[in-house]
């Protein structure tokens, strides 16, 4: 008995050596590694010193807060901004409900979004500290203060909606089947609200900034994903016509740069169909979606091929028909296997939306360009800022994907 | 109760001159046989002789290209409605289990009943739990297939097939992928199933099981049924040279 106790008490050898030991082992273990480390340190020192000195002395960051609204919504008419808030309310409400019903990832990220709202409530995001602000009239200042309070009122309402819907979702789990429908329906509703109708309609040529970037990306992602799955299934079809059409489509689109497709979508369609004009934003949405779907299809195909034949056979043997066996057996496993590739594709799409600025839309990049036409010589500041915004969104997507993978890892063989 | 009492004279599977090719390779060369309701047939034979292919034609996981197969009065053709009907009547258990790894054991079993038999979720789960109880693994319901042993996985697979309330059960070497100590727990539930009167076609090399449970042993070689007989005759008094060789080789282990 005693012997047994002894055996159980033996612990694995620890390899904790303290920071100095770690440094010696990893950075200075040989003379050439020590040399490399020193060179790298010097390099880092000079670069960072340069960047930091620039950021704190030379850079004139006021271009950013002065144009925050432009970055956010582009030339969207200021007296119609309430529409955007309404859309934000719809999305926040759906998010709150979803977070209340599902725990885990959705809840964590809702808390993140909520905190971002709170931060915006506190930081002075509308202050316009232009250097020549001495000349600003009293009236303008008054307007400004009023504006500040207006967006904060809206934001406060938004936070209230988040909290209320969260508790609603938490209480009433019967809402669950309606949520997905709600998210899908929210797309057309938001488009409609943003556009409006009659005299006050806001033509899409006035949509811009981060808002336009997000609209293009979300629509592209949400539509190209199912379309890509569909194309991947068609590519595996036993019917030659369906199979070859989908192969032709996928390979053609993958063989052409996105910018070409955007140009074709923009100009060729107008040449071919000159009788009526199609909305430019809509054209870009369609082009981005069709482009992304081809890549999505190839990612999904990779997943489909990783599923062993036995899974199809077992599904058939249980009596599931083709659609059911795809929906409940094959696709859940296939998509899970390619989450990293799919999210990589989403991230690429998000960044690729910036190409629409070449066509003349005023997305985040387009806004940056138009601001630079006025604020001469502030390129670095402005581009760093929008790079940061792109990074935040892409990093968040990448993070979410990792979390989904971890969560779905349960029971995976 | 003996097996014979369960077996009626009504045929439930009729195969006539069934042929099957994989490209140019002639796998099944004219199988003609009839299985009666409640009959237990054990199919054995060397590897590659077409045993799996044959039982897979019976729920049309493989198509036969000549001859006719009639299962419970329904002829197997390309008619999708017929195929779906057949698949509800015929359950199948695979050598590699083929459980759905992304679903819990319980959901593996309820998927078919909910989607095909259109049972409510509650009813399906009730039935599934009862089946797991019968298989002796009620406590594994909420685990995932990867979290249980091979013998337990195969019993979940049997429960999954039984949940569709089939009239016929096909087993394709159900114990071949199992560690030796787990074989008996699977054979036990198959034995119990046999006693309950299920019609069973079992591809296996478990000769003890065949002797004890089978009404008939069929010996396949190179796509034909070389010999078939009741177990006692088959094992103690085989007629063909190839059968004798096979039996002596198999029993040596
Ligand atoms: N899908 C297939 N395509 C081509 N050949 C196959 C296929 N399935 C089985 N075969 C071949 O058919 C023969 C019989 O296979 P099978 O029925 O699995 O034999 P058994 O189960 O008796 O070992 C084997 O030679 C095998 O290689
Ligand atoms: Mg086989």
């Amino acid at each position: 008995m005693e012997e047994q106790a002894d055996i159980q008490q033996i612990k694995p050898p620890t390899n904790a050596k303290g920071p100095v030991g770690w440094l010696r082992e990893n950075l200075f273990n040989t003379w050439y590694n020590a040399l490399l480390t020193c060179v790298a340190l010097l390099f880092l020192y000079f670069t960072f010193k340069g960047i930091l000195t620039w950021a704190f002395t030379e850079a004139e960051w006021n271009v950013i807060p002065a144009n925050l609204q432009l970055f956010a919504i582009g030339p969207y008419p200021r007296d119609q901004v309430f529409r955007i808030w309404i859309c934000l309310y719809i999305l926040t409400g759906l998010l709150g409900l979803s977070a209340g019903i599902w725990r885990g990832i959705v809840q964590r990220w809702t808390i993140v979004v909520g905190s971002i709202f709170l931060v915006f409530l506190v930081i002075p995001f509308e202050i316009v500290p232009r250097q020549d602000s001495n000349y600003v009239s009293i009236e303008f200042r008054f307007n400004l203060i009023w504006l500040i309070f207006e967006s904060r009122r809206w934001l406060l309402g938004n936070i209230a909606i988040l909290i209320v819907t969260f508790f609603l979702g938490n209480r009433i789990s019967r809402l669950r089947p309606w949520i997905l429908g709600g998210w899908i329906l929210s797309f057309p509703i938001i488009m409609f609200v943003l556009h409006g109708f009659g005299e006050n309609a806001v033509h899409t040529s006035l949509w811009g900034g981060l808002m336009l970037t997000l609209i293009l990306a979300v629509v592209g992602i949400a539509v190209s994903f199912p379309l890509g799955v569909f194309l991947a299934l068609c590519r595996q079809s036993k019917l030659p016509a369906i199979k070859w059409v989908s192969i032709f489509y996928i390979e053609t689109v993958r063989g052409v740069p996105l910018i070409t497709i955007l140009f074709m979508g923009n100009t060729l369609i107008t040449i071919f169909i000159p009788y009526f004009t199609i909305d430019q934003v809509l054209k870009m949405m369609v082009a981005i979606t069709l482009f992304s779907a081809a890549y999505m299809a190839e990612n999904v195909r990779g997943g489909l091929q990783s599923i062993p034949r036995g899974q199809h056979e077992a599904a058939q043997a249980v009596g599931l028909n083709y659609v059911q066996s795809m929906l409940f057996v094959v696709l859940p496993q296939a998509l899970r296997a390619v989450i990293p590739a799919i999210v990589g594709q989403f991230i690429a799409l998000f960044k690729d939306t910036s190409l629409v600025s070449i066509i003349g839309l005023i997305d985040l990049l387009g806004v940056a360009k138009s601001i630079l036409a006025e604020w001469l010589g502030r390129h670095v500041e402005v581009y760093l800022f929008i790079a940061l915004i792109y990074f935040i969104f892409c990093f968040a997507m990448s993070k979410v994907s990792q979390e989904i993978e971890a969560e779905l890892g349960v029971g995976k063989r | 109760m003996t097996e014979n009492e369960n077996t009626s004279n009504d045929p439930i599977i009729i195969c006539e001159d069934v042929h099957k090719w994989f490209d140019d390779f002639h796998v099944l060369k004219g199988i003609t046989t009839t299985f009666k309701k409640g009959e237990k047939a054990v199919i054995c034979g060397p590897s590659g002789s077409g045993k799996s292919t044959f039982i897979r034609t019976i729920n049309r996981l493989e198509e036969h290209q000549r001859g006719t197969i009639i299962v419970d009065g329904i002829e197997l053709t390309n008619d999708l409605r017929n195929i779906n009907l057949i698949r509800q009547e015929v359950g199948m258990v695979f050598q590699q289990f083929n459980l759905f790894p992304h679903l819990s054991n319980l959901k593996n079993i309820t998927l078919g009943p909910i989607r095909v038999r259109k049972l409510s979720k509650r009813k399906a789960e009730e039935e599934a739990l009862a089946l797991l109880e019968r298989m002796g693994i009620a406590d594994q319901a909420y685990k995932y297939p990867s979290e249980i042993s091979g013998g337990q996985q195969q019993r979940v697979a049997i429960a999954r097939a039984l949940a569709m309330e089939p009239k016929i059960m096909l087993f394709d070497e159900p114990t071949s992928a199992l560690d030796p100590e787990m074989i008996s727990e699977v054979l036990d539930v198959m034995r119990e199933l046999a006693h309950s009167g299920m019609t069973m076609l079992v591809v296996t090399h478990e000769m003890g099981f065949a002797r004890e449970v089978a009404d008939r042993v069929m010996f396949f070689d190179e796509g034909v049924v070389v010999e078939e007989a009741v177990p006692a005759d088959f094992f103690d008094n085989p007629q063909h040279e190839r059968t004798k060789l096979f039996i002596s080789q198999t029993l040596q282990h």
Side-chain angles (χ1 to χ4, degrees), chain B residues 47-48 50-53 56 95 172-173 203:
Chain B
S47 173
K51 308 179 296 291
S52 300
T53 309
R56 286 156 59 89
Q95 181 175 352
D172 190 358
E173 306 205 29
V203 176

Side-chain angles (χ1 to χ4, degrees), chain A residues 309-311 313-321 324 328-329 332-333 336 410-413, chain B residues 56 59 61-62 87 90 92 94 98-102 111-112 115-116 118 144 146 160 164:
Chain A
R309 204 170 136 215
Q311 291 291 308
E313 291 179 350
Q316 284 172 13
V318 176
L320 301 180
N321 60 32
Q324 290 170 329
F328 303 122
V329 176
Q333 298 182 60
R336 173 184 304 181
V410 194
K412 203 182 168 188
R413 57 174 169 200
Chain B
R56 286 156 59 89
N59 68 348
L61 285 183
E62 304 286 0
R87 289 192 176 142
V90 183
M92 177 140 193
F94 301 87
N98 293 351
L99 289 175
F100 307 131
H102 62 301
L111 181 61
R115 299 297 166 185
V116 182
K118 310 284 180 205
Y144 283 82
S146 59
R160 177 176 70 182
M164 295 302 294

Side-chain angles (χ1 to χ4, degrees), chain B residues 70-127:
Chain B
I70 298 172
V71 178
D72 200 26
I74 305 167
E75 177 165 0
L76 295 190
T77 58
N78 273 331
D79 191 336
L80 275 178
R81 275 165 308 166
N82 283 357
I83 295 173
N84 285 335
L85 280 179
I86 288 304
R87 289 192 176 142
Q88 290 177 50
E89 310 236 316
V90 183
M92 177 140 193
V93 175
F94 301 87
Q95 181 175 352
Q96 301 295 342
F97 325 139
N98 293 351
L99 289 175
F100 307 131
H102 62 301
L103 299 178
S104 69
N105 294 328
L106 188 72
K107 290 213 164 119
N108 261 276
I109 301 173
T110 57
L111 181 61
I114 292 175
R115 299 297 166 185
V116 182
R117 286 173 60 206
K118 310 284 180 205
L119 291 190
S120 72
K121 189 173 169 228
R122 234 184 90 202
K123 183 88 177 72
E125 285 185 356
E126 248 167 53
E127 288 189 16

